Each structure stands twice: as C-alpha cells, then as structure tokens.
Amino acid sequence: MKDVRKRILALLLALAFVLGMAGCGSQSAEDTTENDTTVAETADEESTASEETADAVDPDAEIVLAGYRNLAPGEKDGYYCSKILYVWEPLVTQDDTGAPVPCLAESWEMSEDGKQWTFYLRQGVKFHDGSDFNADTVIANFDRMKMGVKSSSFYPLDIDSHYPNLENYEKVDDYTIRLTFSQPAPTQLYNMVNFGSAIYSPNCFDENGDFNGICIGTGPFRITENVLDEYVLLERFDEYWGETAKAKNIRVRVIPDADTRFSALKSGEIMGVIDLNAIPTSLAVELEGDGNFALTTTKSTMIRFLCLNGTQFPFNDVRMRQAVSLALQRSVITEDIYDGFGTPTTNILNYSTPFYKEFPVEEDMEKAKELAAEVLGDERVTVTYLYNGSEAAQKGEAELIASWLSEIGIDCELMPMEMTNMKEQMKTGDYGIARMQQGLSNSEPATIFRRFMLTSGDLNQNYSLGYQSDEVDALMAEAESALDMDVRTECYNRIQEISTQEFPVVPLFNDMTLMAYNTKLTGYEAKLYGIELPLVGWAE
Amino acid sequence: MKQYLIQKLISLLPVLFGVSLLAFVLGVITPGNPAELALSQGGYEPTPEQITEMEEQMGLDAPYPVQYLRWVGRALTGDLGTSYSTRNPVGEELARRIPVTLKLAACSITLTIILGIALGCTAAAWQGRLPDRIVGALTNTQLSLPAFWLALLLILLFAETLGWLPTSGNGGPRYMIMPALVLSSASTATAARLTRSALLEEFGKQYCTAAMARGISRWRLVLKNALPNAIVPVTAMLGNSLGGMLGGSIIVESIFALPGIGSYALSAVTNRDYPALQGYVLLTGLIYVLITLLVDTVSMLLNPKVRLGGKRI
C-alpha cells in the first residue's frame, strides 16, 4: 500500500512539474506575437550557426551583439539610432586621433575671413531607399534642424550647438553647399563631426521633422526591423558607396543587466558587447586568459575628477588645491580600483581630442604637506566629500582619497548621494569635495574650457568652483577670434597648462572604453566612438 | 451578492484616490525642476528662458491642488504625460510593455499554484516524515534566497554552464522558464507552507477523523476532503502574490532583459523620468486594487461564510 502511494506521489509531482512548464508554455504560446516567433527562430538559427562554425564558417550567419540600452531608440529620437550602428553617415567624421576627416562631404574650404565654409559633397551616394544623396538632401536636413531642438538619448540635435552663429545655408550646385556664419568659425569642422552633421533621406521625415518610420541613411547597414527594448536588426547595404560591410546580418540586442550580458557572452548567445558600459572592468578581468574571448580598449571621452569648493576656505586658496592634487596617488586608484582601465591625468582636457597636451602627473606627499601647512597652519579642517552612491567603485575610491588627504590635514566626511541631489547641493556651495565626471561632446576643447574655466562658465558656477583667471578669460577671447589654427592651438595649450597648475578641478584619470568579444569574430576593434561595425565578421 | 460587490467597489475608491495622490506627490517632492529635467535630458543645458517657457507649457506655475486635478483629469482619459527620456507618451509605453509583464506574471502564478499546492499536500500527507522535512528545507531556502541572486545562479547554471536555456530576452516558452521560476520562488514557498498548515488544521477536524476511521486513504482524504476546505486562505494569498508579481517584477525583468513595465520603472528611476514613474505607480496601484477585488469575489464564491456575511443558515 505504501509503495503504491509513493509511486502515485512521484507521478503526481512529476505531473505537477510538467504541468507547470506546460502552463508557462501554453500561456506564452497564446501571447506569442510576430516578434516573438522571430526571436525563437533566430535562436534556433543561432545554435545552428554556431554549430556550423565548428566545421565551416558561414560568412552570412547572423552576428548577435548586445548593449545595455536601445541603440536605436526609434522615431522620437532626433537621430533615430546611434552613429555606432553605421546606418546614417555624417558629412564629417573623425579619425583615430579625433581629427575631422571626410565622409559624405569629400572636401571643404574656409573663406579667408573664416565666415564661410564650402562643402563639396561625395557623388554617386545612394540612400537605403534608392534615392540619391545631393545638395538638396543636405539642405533638407538643415531645414529639419532649423525646426527646433530635437532631444535624443545620445546628443541633442541642436543647430545652435553644432553650427553656432550660423546665418545662412545654401545650395551652390548639385554637389556643393555653403554655410555662412556671423562670426569667424575656424573650428566649425570639429562641431560637425559625427552627430553634428548626420544626414538622412528627406523621405523619412514628417512635416515636423520627426521620423515617419525606420530612418533612411546612406550607411553600410540598413535597419530592417526595430523592436524597442529587445533588438534591432541590421542588414548589409550592398549599394553602399564605399567598401561594403563584412557581415550580412547583425542583431543588436538590449540586455540591461551587466551580469546577464556577461553570461550571454560566455554562453555564446551573443558574440560581443558594444556601446558605453559594455562590460564592467571586474568582469572583463575574468575574461583575460580565456582564449575564447578577447578585450578591446580605446580612449574614452570621459574624464573623472574632484570638484573642490573654491568659494570657501580652504579650497579658495590655490595652494590647497595644489596640495590635494599632489597628495593623490592616481595610479593606485586606476590600478587597484579600476583594474588598470584608466589613465592618470592632471589635465582638465580629455585625452581623446587632438588638442590634448600631455603633462607629467606630479605626486609628492611632502610637498603637499608643506603647501597645506602654509594654508592651514597647525589646524586641521573637516570637509564633506560627496560621491555618487550608485557607482560602487566610488566608495572605495573616496576612502583611499580621504586617507591621503588626512595626511595633509583634511578630514573628509564621506557622503554618498544621488546625482541630481548632489548637483543641487553643489550649486548651493554647501560642500567641500565632490567627485564628478564629464564627457567630451566633440573634439573642439573650447566647450570644456568655457564651462569650467571662464568666470561666467556654467559648470564653474553650478559646481561652486569659484575659479577665476584673467589670463584664461583673455586666452579664450583670443582663441575665439583667431583664424590661424596654430594661434588657437597655442592658446589651448597654455590653458591646459594653467589647468594643471591652478586646478579649477582636480583631475583623477581618463576613462578607457572597454569592450569584449568572442574570438570567433574578427575586426572587432574599439574606436573613439563604438566599434567599426562594417569590419566585423566571422573569423575564418 | 450584487450589494456586496457594490460595497466592495465603493470601498476601493479612497484607496484609488490615495494611490493617485501618492503618485502625484512623488513628482512634487522629488528634487529638481521638472521643466529643467524635461529639457536637460542627454546633457543639454537649457537657457533660463527656455525653462520658464517650459514651466508655463507644463502648467507648473499653477498651485499644487490645481495641478493635481489637471493631472488626474488627464490620467482618467489615459493621458499619463510624456516620458522625459524617450519623448513617448507614458500611457502608450506602458500599454506596449504590459503584455510582457502579464505573460511573466501568468507563468509565475501558474507555477506557484501547481508547485505550491503540490508541495503543501506532500508535506501535509507525510507530516513529520522525510518528504515533509525536504519540503520544509526547500521552502526555507526559497524564502531566504533573494530573487536577484537566485536569478544569477540560475543563469550561471542553466545558461552559462549547461547551455540549456537562453540567458535572457523575450521569446517563446524557453525564455520564460527561468524568470518565472525566480519570480514565483518565494510565493511558491509561502503557498506550500500555507497549504500544509491549512490541511493540518483540517485533519484535526471531526470529519477528517471520521473519514480516517473509515479507512479512507490519506491521499484521498487530502485531495477530496480536506483540500477544498483548506484552499480558501491559499486563494487569498495567491491573489496578493499575483499583485506582487505584476508590480514587483522590476529586478527579474531587468536581469532577464524582459521589456515589461518593471524594467521600464527601473530605467525611469535611473533617468529621473518622473512622468514614467508616476504612470507606473498609478498603474500598479490600480492593478493591485483590481486583483484584491477579484480575490474577494473568488473567495466569496468559494466560501459560503463570506458570501452570506456570517449569517447562519
């Protein structure tokens, strides 16, 4: 009797389990939409594809990559998708050093007074819908920008920031356009790089300049399907004007969680991770030494630094700011906390622009103590140290920094905060030290200098930096009116030098962009902005 | 019956008012000027004139009660405002995402019902013996494992190491197994425990003793006699779990890359997207209230005591 009961129980439990699974199954089957089936199908394709690669490589098999966010946020985004998907192309792009190079504009010239720029457009370029690229389409894109600022999850599409002081834009002939500015604009090219001069087929705009469907660009890939928050499908555009892409189909998935993304990479479900925050350094270290995976790094446009409240004692004294910088051991921070993925710096300018000048990173605790003693005397001072509580690494970093600062007489009260609250508190001037970061929106460094170092600079004021230098104000004015690039570069060099001596902020390190991929792929190389997707393909 | 339902519906109104007030206050007390936040997404620095213009446009110059009434008025017509970060109407975005969350919750509640009740019956039938202890240990583990950790462990085992299941994504049944297991884990354990104790309570009653005395097999007793009586408190608990699953799948959705309303709420928090967050609070509040109503109705149908308001027959 007991045995029978046991058997029945076992059966029941098994049945319950099967039912449970089936319950899920039937439920999902009911809810299955068209998109879901595509996913399931491609999942099967994926597995067959990876099986095939063991024997012979199918160069046209779909390559699956993943990032943390929508790289194609869709119609409501000013750009529809990120530059790194290679769907749209700009007039001007940048090389590995950040210098402007031709893309859809083949060449250009500036008038002698610097107020007129003429762009000669590439001929024989086709949009994905088969229409021709020419001066009319470029003018249509300017008309669209003129309609007002369009927000985007990448950079705002704002004609005033990409084309400051633009007075007029006109078609000269079918493949020439001319821009006229009210002020000399010798560095205009830098403002136009990538997101600054994105070109779409006017057929994909509605009357408000919003996208009326999938965007139509000229790039080596076109979007065939875009399911928000799930994936975007890219297909090679065979009529591309340049060298066509290696991969036929690329699927870029959205996997928000870093650990899941890592597992998906390890299990072979995805072949690579892209975009910002592709992989945390702590997980990247795990991949080192595993022959199936490789890492690729490049300079990031992000710089990390400490803001010191220059409106109050003790950091209103330049010697105290110098003392803080001298007391830091930046390489310890980058090595021990960020696993070596960072480059120590004292320059306020990020290292990804061609205007960047390298300065030696000076660290000297004895000198720091002397300088601090000159300001503080025998007293010690207590300051609040604000940091971003949602970034785990910043806590350890703050503790390290606080231990060094305690040696020069500064006691830090560490305060983890939420970013917006932190900025509000900094605005009121109620803080001592705050850990911040800043990205470089284009290679033209004037923006950074203006925001941090001009007396009227918005971040100088909002972060209560209290920085003021007549020399910087004069240099910025000189640079702005200088037509000669060398004069401008000289001004910028001097400003950078001043930043390493007077510390409007105390820079810590420049970030590195870090991406990981399966070694079944080739051509996966991190670039200043993303990877060069057209070069990515299956390895032989 | 009708009267009972009407009473219930009326009693829900203050709750709904509370939820909407909470959702509105959320937008008011959070730091930062909404007009500035709306304009400054993506690193853009708006000018003071633009901010003032936006404030007027958003109606932020009106006193709070007026703003609240306007907001409720719009919410009633389905207009929950525009997301700061995506520029999409929040209502549309929630409508696009709710099917995923519903699918996940349906799978999870199915698992909870089947596994929870089966485990509970097993434990009760073998009270104090090995199966009971195994179920006890299992439910203890399920209750004490945090969902995010269990999720990572499952991914590590079934996706990364064994390669049986996909790590994440929205798709067919295979994509739902791990998320549903994780989301249902704690409620399965609670359901099992509740079923077990309710059954044991029934066992102590006279009808059970009598049935046992007549030599009815223990399983028959459990399934045919005791379970129908023991199920009422379990139903109530399951209803609450379902509400929890619909509103509490934030972590599970973001780990398994499921684009439901939970992952929307999480990205709203990171982007300080208050209209999105308000919409989420309002929607989940509404769902919870509706489910409570549903549960009350079901237990009324199952249990004559509730149906008759305690009146003796």
Side-chain angles (χ1 to χ4, degrees):
Chain A
M1 192 63 195
K2 232 184 204 175
D3 282 350
V4 177
R5 244 192 258 154
K6 266 187 191 165
R7 239 177 273 159
I8 292 174
L9 172 72
L11 267 173
L12 268 176
L13 279 178
L15 190 72
F17 189 71
V18 171
L19 272 178
M21 297 296 129
C24 287
S26 59
Q27 185 58 40
S28 341
E30 278 162 27
D31 285 352
T32 296
T33 61
E34 219 175 307
N35 301 334
D36 297 333
T37 30
T38 345
V39 176
E41 274 166 27
T42 17
D44 293 340
E45 276 166 30
E46 272 161 43
S47 53
T48 35
S50 52
E51 273 161 33
E52 275 169 21
T53 40
D55 309 313
V57 190
D58 172 12
D60 288 346
E62 185 184 72
I63 294 176
V64 186
L65 309 174
Y68 81 101
R69 59 174 172 173
N70 280 310
L71 280 169
E75 286 86 359
K76 292 283 161 61
D77 192 282
Y79 291 99
Y80 191 93
C81 62
S82 168
K83 164 80 174 62
I84 67 174
L85 295 184
Y86 285 82
V87 171
W88 53 264
E89 291 180 304
L91 294 176
V92 185
T93 187
Q94 62 186 2
D95 65 8
D96 289 347
T97 66
V101 288
C103 189
L104 287 180
E106 219 166 13
S107 61
W108 44 74
E109 60 190 30
M110 184 183 78
S111 66
E112 268 181 27
D113 62 358
K115 288 183 176 175
Q116 268 192 354
W117 279 90
T118 311
F119 290 87
Y120 302 99
L121 308 177
R122 197 174 291 278
Q123 303 195 10
V125 176
K126 289 238 180 272
F127 285 105
H128 298 155
D129 62 353
S131 58
D132 288 319
F133 163 80
N134 53 35
D136 291 322
T137 54
V138 175
I139 295 297
N141 277 275
F142 273 90
D143 290 339
R144 170 180 182 240
M145 279 196 279
K146 258 292 188 226
M147 290 176 182
V149 181
K150 298 221 179 293
S151 70
S152 156
S153 50
F154 310 106
Y155 296 100
L157 180 66
D158 177 7
I159 196 163
D160 292 333
S161 90
H162 296 310
Y163 303 87
N165 308 316
L166 180 67
E167 257 185 4
N168 186 32
Y169 52 91
E170 62 196 320
K171 168 182 168 182
V172 178
D173 61 41
D174 276 353
Y175 290 96
T176 313
I177 61 149
R178 185 176 296 138
L179 308 180
T180 311
F181 297 86
S182 58
Q183 300 286 320
T187 54
Q188 177 52 31
L189 284 181
Y190 290 90
N191 294 326
M192 290 170 67
V193 157
N194 292 343
F195 284 90
S197 55
I199 300 295
Y200 303 86
S201 162
N203 297 339
C204 64
F205 302 142
D206 65 14
E207 65 276 16
N208 302 319
D210 291 327
F211 291 103
N212 55 18
I214 288 176
C215 75
I216 302 168
T218 57
F221 287 106
R222 65 160 159 231
I223 295 178
T224 52
E225 192 188 355
N226 185 17
V227 182
L228 267 192
D229 303 304
E230 291 188 39
Y231 59 85
V232 52
L233 288 184
L234 304 177
E235 186 188 65
R236 180 169 61 211
F237 178 48
D238 289 317
E239 282 106 286
Y240 181 58
W241 58 269
E243 201 173 320
T244 51
K246 260 186 109 173
K248 188 165 192 318
N249 291 296
I250 294 182
R251 173 186 297 260
V252 184
R253 285 182 51 189
V254 181
I255 305 182
D257 186 79
D259 289 300
T260 314
R261 223 159 40 236
F262 179 76
S263 291
L265 182 68
K266 289 269 284 199
S267 69
E269 207 174 295
I270 58 171
M271 286 292 129
V273 286
I274 55 170
D275 202 14
L276 307 166
N277 315 321
I279 180 167
T281 56
S282 54
L283 290 177
V285 177
E286 270 188 52
L287 290 179
E288 281 177 343
D290 186 335
N292 293 322
F293 303 98
L295 299 175
T296 168
T297 59
T298 186
K299 291 170 178 175
S300 146
T301 56
M302 191 69 89
I303 180 170
R304 315 271 173 176
F305 52 85
L306 297 179
C307 289
L308 303 180
N309 185 349
T311 62
Q312 276 175 17
F313 181 80
F315 299 121
N316 53 3
D317 194 315
V318 67
R319 288 172 297 177
M320 206 61 204
R321 301 202 294 268
Q322 290 163 340
V324 169
S325 175
L326 287 168
L328 301 175
Q329 297 170 36
R330 293 173 175 82
S331 54
V332 174
I333 298 177
T334 53
E335 288 302 321
D336 292 356
I337 296 182
Y338 298 97
D339 299 299
F341 297 106
T343 312
T345 184
T346 52
N347 188 343
I348 192 171
L349 189 62
N350 175 277
Y351 65 170
S352 65
T353 139
F355 292 98
Y356 172 75
K357 191 165 185 263
E358 182 114 20
F359 293 91
V361 177
E362 203 189 340
E363 289 163 2
D364 184 342
M365 187 55 95
E366 289 315 308
K367 205 166 152 194
K369 282 181 184 165
E370 279 170 29
L371 282 168
E374 283 177 27
V375 181
L376 299 176
D378 296 332
E379 303 282 308
R380 293 185 70 81
V381 61
T382 304
V383 299
T384 44
Y385 180 131
L386 315 178
Y387 64 93
N388 183 353
S390 64
E391 263 189 53
Q394 285 196 19
K395 182 168 186 279
E397 181 195 274
E399 282 163 359
L400 257 179
I401 290 174
S403 76
W404 293 322
L405 295 187
S406 77
E407 290 187 43
I408 62 169
I410 301 174
D411 297 311
C412 298
E413 277 174 5
L414 303 186
M415 244 169 92
M417 286 192 89
E418 195 277 329
M419 217 41 195
T420 309
N421 289 338
M422 185 161 142
K423 283 187 178 169
E424 292 227 325
Q425 186 157 343
M426 289 168 76
K427 208 169 185 171
T428 63
D430 180 22
Y431 82 102
I433 302 174
R435 165 67 154 73
M436 293 297 286
Q437 64 278 317
Q438 179 68 42
L440 192 64
S441 53
N442 61 46
S443 314
E444 159 65 273
T447 332
I448 291 293
F449 299 145
R450 196 179 305 129
R451 300 184 78 183
F452 283 94
M453 294 176 75
L454 278 192
T455 316
S456 58
D458 64 331
L459 295 182
N460 188 4
Q461 290 178 354
N462 288 345
Y463 294 169
S464 304
L465 300 179
Y467 182 76
Q468 189 169 7
S469 159
D470 295 339
E471 191 183 353
V472 171
D473 290 359
L475 282 166
M476 282 301 287
E478 188 187 340
E480 214 149 293
S481 58
L483 285 181
D484 186 351
M485 210 55 185
D486 292 338
V487 177
R488 205 172 255 250
T489 310
E490 228 163 84
C491 291
Y492 289 164
N493 284 347
R494 175 67 190 136
I495 296 174
Q496 291 177 64
E497 195 181 355
I498 295 173
S499 85
T500 65
Q501 291 162 349
E502 299 186 352
F503 298 105
V505 296
V506 179
L508 296 173
F509 60 93
N510 279 301
D511 263 11
M512 268 184 199
T513 301
L514 174 65
M515 293 179 207
Y517 63 100
N518 193 309
T519 43
K520 281 180 189 160
L521 295 185
T522 58
Y524 208 95
E525 200 187 325
K527 293 281 172 192
L528 265 191
Y529 201 79
I531 56 168
E532 211 159 320
L533 214 50
L535 299 182
V536 174
W538 294 103
E540 294 297 312
Chain B
M1 167 92 180
K2 212 185 253 174
Q3 203 184 351
Y4 172 80
L5 276 179
I6 291 169
Q7 260 176 16
K8 272 279 160 196
L9 273 173
I10 290 171
S11 71
L12 290 179
L13 288 178
V15 183
L16 281 177
F17 171 71
V19 170
S20 69
L21 198 63
L22 209 70
F24 175 76
V25 168
L26 184 78
V28 172
I29 57 169
T30 38
N33 180 346
E36 196 179 335
L37 281 171
L39 284 169
S40 60
Q41 293 288 330
Y44 181 70
E45 293 286 333
T47 61
E49 296 82 53
Q50 282 174 319
I51 296 176
T52 326
E53 195 185 317
M54 192 69 177
E55 272 174 354
E56 279 166 26
Q57 207 180 321
M58 292 169 79
L60 294 172
D61 41 357
Y64 287 134
V66 178
Q67 285 189 39
Y68 171 72
L69 287 178
R70 279 187 197 157
W71 181 73
V72 169
R74 282 197 303 266
L76 282 177
T77 59
D79 175 10
L80 293 168
T82 309
S83 155
Y84 291 165
S85 53
T86 63
R87 300 278 150 186
N88 282 331
V90 174
E92 251 176 50
E93 192 95 1
L94 287 171
R96 182 169 68 79
R97 285 164 170 271
I98 191 98
V100 180
T101 305
L102 284 178
K103 179 162 89 174
L104 177 62
C107 288
S108 308
I109 201 73
T110 316
L111 273 186
T112 306
I113 293 172
I114 295 172
L115 289 183
I117 294 179
L119 286 174
C121 291
T122 313
W126 275 278
Q127 190 205 348
R129 309 252 295 278
L130 188 65
D132 188 20
R133 282 194 215 131
I134 292 175
V135 171
L138 182 70
T139 51
N140 264 335
T141 322
Q142 282 178 303
L143 282 173
S144 42
L145 273 185
F148 75 92
W149 198 56
L150 181 64
L152 292 181
L153 285 182
L154 288 182
I155 290 179
L156 188 67
L157 180 65
F158 290 109
E160 207 180 307
T161 314
L162 298 170
W164 292 353
L165 296 170
T167 54
S168 57
N170 184 21
R174 289 171 68 234
Y175 288 81
M176 277 296 136
I177 296 175
M178 286 198 289
L181 271 178
V182 173
L183 193 58
S184 66
S185 170
S187 55
T188 303
T190 319
R193 289 180 157 209
L194 201 60
T195 312
R196 178 182 176 274
S197 62
L199 278 175
L200 291 182
E201 201 186 315
E202 293 299 321
F203 288 169
K205 292 190 178 156
Q206 280 184 350
Y207 75 95
C208 282
T209 320
M212 270 187 275
R214 271 187 278 145
I216 279 185
S217 84
R218 189 131 195 163
W219 267 108
R220 214 175 134 195
L221 178 72
V222 168
L223 295 177
K224 283 209 134 178
N225 301 65
L227 194 58
N229 289 322
I231 206 82
V232 178
V234 181
T235 331
M237 175 255 142
L238 286 173
N240 286 334
S241 299
L242 183 60
M245 283 167 186
L246 285 166
S249 52
I250 294 182
I251 303 280
V252 172
E253 281 182 16
S254 65
I255 289 185
F256 290 104
L258 291 170
I261 56 170
S263 53
Y264 184 54
L266 190 69
S267 70
V269 170
T270 5
N271 296 328
R272 307 182 66 81
D273 194 342
Y274 296 118
L277 214 52
Q278 284 177 327
Y280 172 79
V281 170
L282 201 63
L283 180 70
T284 46
L286 185 70
I287 288 177
Y288 217 98
V289 166
L290 288 180
I291 286 179
T292 318
L293 182 69
L294 187 76
V295 169
D296 285 350
T297 320
V298 170
S299 34
M300 182 185 71
L301 294 174
L302 285 176
N303 187 355
K305 278 190 219 157
V306 180
R307 182 163 59 222
L308 300 169
K311 265 184 266 169
R312 283 194 169 273
I313 306 165

